[in-house]
Amino acid sequence: PTIAIGGGLTTRMLFVWPDAGKRKKVAIPELTQEVIDSRLKLIQDLEKIAMIAGEYNFDPAAKEFWINWYNAFEELDPRRLCKDPSFNGWYTRKPLFILKVSTLLAASESDKRLVTTSHVKRAIKEIELVESRMTDTFVSVGRSEISSDVATVIKIVNETRVISEKLLKMRVWKDIDYKKFDNVISTAISSGYIERKLEHNGKRGLFYCTTETEISVD
């Protein structure tokens, strides 16, 4: 529910947003010897990791790097990757996520309980990879009655790059009737994610495309 977003629960989560679809098609999944060997090695490694106990510390270079990064970090930096205000609370915990991932990376490589600069830098990179798409997590959640419908239309246009109004209506008619469609499409356009065009590949009519797509206009 909308009331839960931005509170203590969601600030403690990393929201991973994938939309690339299937990486590949496999008719009959089978375990290769390489996969079997890797699985055995992973189990053995996890057993060793489970035995690690004690405090983790920075090495001197990593400590200096972390202090400088932390002091320069601003929760409300206008240049931050996720500008959705729903994640303002999440940004107060971003440094903690980086520390946790840094520790996990150190544990995955050694039992020395020592966090290096490379661990911290990689943790920042991995967190920011997730962070850059977090704004899509709650795109369908809001007080507006048509927020989910707008998100659906934007998703379809993003997938097709260019789509005619006729085809778009055919894809959404079960959820968006003709009376609601004009409101939904106007909201989607005003959001800045899609545009309306009058011609595409020599065919006249109404077409919708992503804001980055260039198509001919009379």
Side-chain angles (χ1 to χ4, degrees):
T2 305
I3 194 173
I5 299 172
L9 177 63
T10 55
T11 62
R12 290 172 168 83
M13 296 179 179
L14 282 172
F15 294 92
V16 180
W17 181 271
D19 61 358
K22 291 183 178 180
R23 185 164 59 92
K24 60 181 179 179
K25 296 175 67 175
V26 181
I28 303 177
E30 295 178 334
L31 292 178
T32 64
Q33 189 59 47
E34 181 183 5
V35 172
I36 294 172
D37 292 342
S38 296
R39 179 183 179 185
L40 179 60
K41 291 178 181 178
L42 179 59
I43 291 173
Q44 293 172 342
D45 198 24
L46 289 173
E47 289 175 345
K48 292 181 180 179
I49 291 174
M51 299 299 293
I52 298 175
E55 181 180 358
Y56 272 75
N57 292 290
F58 291 110
D59 70 16
K63 184 175 183 180
E64 180 180 2
F65 177 86
W66 174 249
I67 291 173
N68 291 333
W69 184 93
Y70 184 84
N71 288 336
F73 174 71
E74 293 291 342
E75 299 164 7
L76 299 179
D77 189 335
R79 298 169 298 176
R80 75 187 196 187
L81 294 175
C82 181
K83 296 178 174 57
D84 188 336
S86 299
F87 286 94
N88 286 349
W90 183 91
Y91 272 94
T92 65
R93 298 183 186 275
K94 179 180 176 179
L96 182 59
F97 283 119
I98 293 173
L99 289 177
K100 288 184 175 183
V101 174
S102 298
T103 306
L104 292 172
L105 292 172
S108 73
E109 295 179 0
S110 170
D111 58 359
K112 294 180 180 180
R113 305 201 308 271
L114 190 66
V115 176
T116 66
T117 305
S118 64
H119 295 141
V120 180
K121 288 183 176 180
R122 183 181 167 193
I124 292 173
K125 182 179 179 181
E126 299 290 351
I127 292 295
E128 290 184 346
L129 181 63
V130 173
E131 180 184 347
S132 64
R133 296 301 308 274
M134 287 196 312
T135 188
D136 295 324
T137 306
F138 302 128
V139 69
S140 298
V141 181
R143 289 187 292 273
S144 171
E145 294 180 356
I146 63 170
S147 59
S148 61
D149 296 324
V150 172
T152 297
V153 167
I154 292 173
K155 184 175 185 294
I156 292 173
V157 174
N158 281 334
E159 290 173 347
T160 58
R161 308 298 292 174
V162 181
I163 188 171
S164 67
E165 183 173 270
K166 179 180 179 180
L167 184 56
L168 180 59
K169 286 182 175 179
M170 289 174 62
R171 292 188 59 173
V172 302
W173 69 269
K174 290 184 178 180
D175 301 309
I176 307 174
D177 60 38
Y178 77 95
K179 292 182 180 179
K180 186 193 289 187
F181 183 84
D182 288 342
N183 188 17
V184 170
I185 201 69
S186 296
T187 304
I189 292 171
S190 65
S191 72
Y193 286 104
I194 68 173
E195 293 180 317
R196 180 189 282 125
K197 301 294 183 182
L198 302 177
E199 182 179 310
H200 176 50
N201 288 342
K203 296 181 180 179
R204 293 191 60 82
L206 289 179
F207 295 87
Y208 300 99
C209 65
T210 61
T211 51
E212 297 84 9
T213 304
E214 294 294 335
I215 62 177
S216 58
V217 180
D218 211 339

